[in-house]
Amino acid sequence: MNAAAPAPAAAVRVRNVQAGDLGDVAAIDLEITRVPKPEYWAEIYHRYGTGRRQQRFFLVAEAAGRIEGFVIGEVRDWEFGSPRCGWVFAINVRPKARLAGIGSRLLGAICEGFRHLGVIKVRTLLGRDNQLILSFFRSQGMMAAPFIPLEIDLEPQGTDGK
Ligand SMILES: CC(C)(COP(=O)(O)OP(=O)(O)OC[C@H]1O[C@@H](n2cnc3c(N)ncnc32)[C@H](O)[C@@H]1OP(=O)(O)O)[C@@H](O)C(=O)NCCC(=O)NCCS
């Protein structure tokens, strides 16, 4: 088998993140975003990957001892006035491992975790111009939600005389 070929989804194991996975997770993120953020990943691991996870999920897809992708999310109750639902904050698959079903496995696994907690609605937020992630989520059956994201630019602290 060609070592560079993506692992078929069947050869991939989806499990909870462990401390030793963080290097691979940060490397996948760096390959995609080009922004190194080691402190951020340490904090996310602390918040979503350790202790009594309760409603929080940080799952990785492992193949042949290497992390090929990850998904992070959480069950939230009554935020934005909405009954309990599962939020997917991040999903990333190593570029060379894509289109082999790993993203689908990761999303399926986190949805299964949500379902165990009684969740029947899953939501996410994505950039309008990110066609790739839009195509992926649409392929998984996700559709536009009845919400409108709003934002405002704030003056940085110290520039408004306060
Ligand atoms: C989106 C992503 C997670 C998909 O992972 P993946 O392992 O390639 O996904 P799958 O192989 O399970 O693909 C499932 C379906 O998604 C759709 N899809 C995936 N990649 C696609 C692409 N490049 N173009 C169009 N559709 C695509 C297809 O419908 C595909 O089904 P098919 O292979 O039967 O056609 C991966 O491309 C990724 O990490 N992209 C960057 C993510 C990102 O921008 N994250 C930042 C926001 S959190």
Side-chain angles (χ1 to χ4, degrees):
M1 184 178 152
N2 178 354
V12 169
R13 186 164 75 102
V14 176
R15 58 165 172 80
N16 286 323
V17 70
Q18 296 166 3
D21 303 327
L22 271 194
D24 274 356
V25 166
I28 292 170
D29 173 63
L30 180 61
E31 195 175 347
I32 295 167
T33 67
R34 304 277 164 208
V35 182
K37 28 185 132 67
E39 294 87 4
Y40 168 79
W41 285 113
E43 170 61 19
I44 289 290
Y45 174 70
H46 177 69
R47 246 191 298 158
Y48 290 86
T50 59
R52 291 173 60 233
R53 290 187 175 91
Q54 296 167 326
Q55 305 197 147
R56 295 175 171 177
F57 297 84
F58 187 165
L59 308 177
V60 294
E62 179 190 351
R66 194 163 89 143
I67 302 307
E68 300 288 16
F70 60 89
V71 64
I72 304 169
E74 182 173 17
V75 174
R76 297 248 181 106
D77 298 296
W78 298 113
E79 294 203 0
F80 313 110
S82 148
R84 150 173 289 229
C85 76
W87 279 93
V88 175
F89 298 149
I91 183 162
N92 278 311
V93 172
R94 192 187 295 281
K96 284 191 177 132
R98 288 182 188 170
L99 289 174
I102 294 176
S104 304
R105 283 278 308 277
L106 284 163
L107 189 67
I110 199 169
C111 286
E112 201 45 44
F114 290 156
R115 220 186 323 257
H116 276 298
L117 295 173
V119 163
I120 55 167
K121 181 80 80 182
V122 177
R123 297 199 168 106
T124 192
L125 198 62
L126 53 117
R128 242 174 236 279
D129 55 355
N130 193 337
Q131 284 299 326
L132 170 54
I133 198 89
L134 179 62
S135 298
F136 169 72
F137 281 127
R138 291 297 298 268
S139 81
Q140 306 298 301
M142 295 188 82
M143 293 180 291
F147 295 94
I148 303 171
L150 298 177
E151 66 178 25
I152 186 172
D153 290 327
L154 299 179
E155 290 295 323
Q157 202 173 21
T159 60
D160 58 357
K162 290 180 191 157

